[in-house]
Amino acid sequence: MSGGPEDKEAILTEILRVNKLIVTHDGLIALSGATGGEPGIVTIAGTGCIVFGRNAAGSDRARLRWGYIFGDEGGGFDITRQSLRAALRYEEGWGPATLLRDLLLAATGSKDANETLHRFYTDEYPRPRHRLLVAPR
């Protein structure tokens, strides 16, 4: 489930019949899996991002857990958005040439970056599809 654990426990308690239920966030799960419970730091970037760490004293901190709209740094949608911005800057004459423009035009069949921009506001390119446009094939 996306988002934090706060609103998930009640739902999961109804669905799962278990003696003990711990609902947490993906940062803690990833850190525990990567370090075997030892101190460390993990960064997850996808549709939203989180940086989570725990020190030797067991104190932990989470940052950048703002969700996909405000905190998608390094995620597929953010990379596509930044690629399109670079292409638009080039076409408008205030940015350097970029191969990203050609990749976006090829992926969308657009004649220019401005047409690609407008396609992103249509049902043809819903948000989940944006991240696939500049991903390696």
Side-chain angles (χ1 to χ4, degrees):
M1 302 171 115
S2 63
E6 295 80 18
D7 60 340
K8 311 301 186 296
E9 190 165 351
I11 296 167
L12 293 172
T13 300
E14 288 183 32
I15 297 171
L16 304 171
R17 302 291 180 223
V18 296
N19 293 329
K20 183 176 182 180
L21 177 66
I22 298 171
V23 182
T24 188
H25 56 84
D26 54 354
L28 177 58
I29 294 166
L31 180 64
S32 298
T35 67
E38 296 296 317
I41 298 173
V42 66
T43 300
I44 301 170
T47 51
C49 70
I50 184 172
V51 176
F52 179 79
R54 177 171 281 163
N55 65 20
S59 178
D60 56 47
R61 296 263 194 237
R63 296 290 185 259
L64 295 175
R65 50 188 178 174
W66 304 334
Y68 72 90
I69 294 174
F70 295 105
D72 191 33
E73 293 83 352
F77 180 79
D78 184 53
I79 292 168
T80 301
R81 180 178 48 220
Q82 289 185 49
S83 300
L84 183 53
R85 284 180 176 164
L88 289 162
R89 284 192 294 268
Y90 167 70
E91 285 190 2
E92 291 182 358
W94 56 285
T98 175
L99 176 62
L100 296 169
R101 177 186 177 273
D102 297 333
L103 293 172
L104 285 166
L105 298 185
T108 61
S110 301
K111 68 180 185 306
D112 58 29
N114 190 54
E115 183 179 323
T116 302
L117 166 77
H118 289 283
R119 286 180 181 215
F120 282 5
Y121 287 100
T122 69
D123 292 339
E124 180 183 6
Y125 284 94
R127 184 183 180 94
R129 188 171 177 198
H130 295 183
R131 64 183 173 77
L132 302 174
L133 295 178
V134 294
R137 300 205 185 324

